[in-house]
Amino acid sequence: MSARLDTAQPYAVGLYRIVVGLLFTCHGAASLFGVLGAEAAGRTVDAGAWPGWYAAVIQLVCGSLVLVGFGTRPAALLASGSMAYAYFKVHQPNALWPMENGGEASAMFCWAFLLLVFTGSGALGLDRLVADRTATKRESSTQQATVSV
């Protein structure tokens, strides 16, 4: 059973990356553009407002990059750091536990993105296409440089 699960692991990581990226992108879009339910509550952030607007831009950009699997590791690292900042600077001063301070989403996103920093994009991502293309170029240039005597 473990062997079968191991062969499916890149696809599970890829699907996980897609879901986490989509949810994070939706948070950024809601904060910046007032869509996806935010328009009813009137919850948009003013352009340039610290830290809300910058967090929303990070959410939208990094979430989109993670969603498509392009630059997954650096985007996930930035997203994880921004969520750690959100938790410790915005939520944690109000109470110790995430259930008390409303920081569950920040904590979960922080750890979800940190996991992607270490696992990479998995299957179904643009990172894999770029890596395959680079490896193919490297192989062809190595073969061309080989001199027969």
Side-chain angles (χ1 to χ4, degrees):
M1 175 133 171
S2 289
R4 183 177 286 170
L5 291 174
D6 288 344
T7 60
Q9 184 178 358
Y11 298 99
V13 170
L15 290 173
Y16 173 81
R17 172 189 49 78
I18 290 168
V19 170
V20 170
L22 177 63
L23 292 173
F24 206 58
T25 301
C26 289
H27 271 277
S31 297
L32 290 173
F33 309 120
V35 296
L36 305 171
E39 68 274 3
R43 294 182 301 185
T44 58
V45 292
D46 295 328
W50 176 258
W53 184 81
Y54 295 94
V57 169
I58 289 172
Q59 290 168 358
L60 185 68
V61 173
C62 291
S64 298
L65 289 171
V66 168
L67 174 65
V68 299
F70 185 71
T72 302
R73 290 175 190 243
L77 183 63
L78 179 59
S80 178
S82 74
M83 288 295 98
Y85 178 88
Y87 182 77
F88 287 111
K89 290 300 266 186
V90 177
H91 299 286
Q92 202 275 331
N94 297 327
L96 178 63
W97 299 105
M99 292 297 291
E100 295 175 316
N101 63 31
E104 300 99 334
S106 297
M108 286 296 296
F109 274 125
C110 177
W111 287 103
F113 283 116
L114 189 62
L115 179 64
L116 287 171
V117 170
F118 290 97
T119 63
S121 62
L124 313 171
L126 295 179
D127 284 340
R128 187 169 290 234
L129 290 175
V130 171
D132 290 345
R133 198 174 281 177
T134 305
T136 304
K137 265 187 184 174
R138 210 174 300 133
E139 285 175 12
S140 65
S141 66
T142 304
Q143 289 173 353
Q144 290 174 353
T146 304
V147 178
S148 300
V149 182

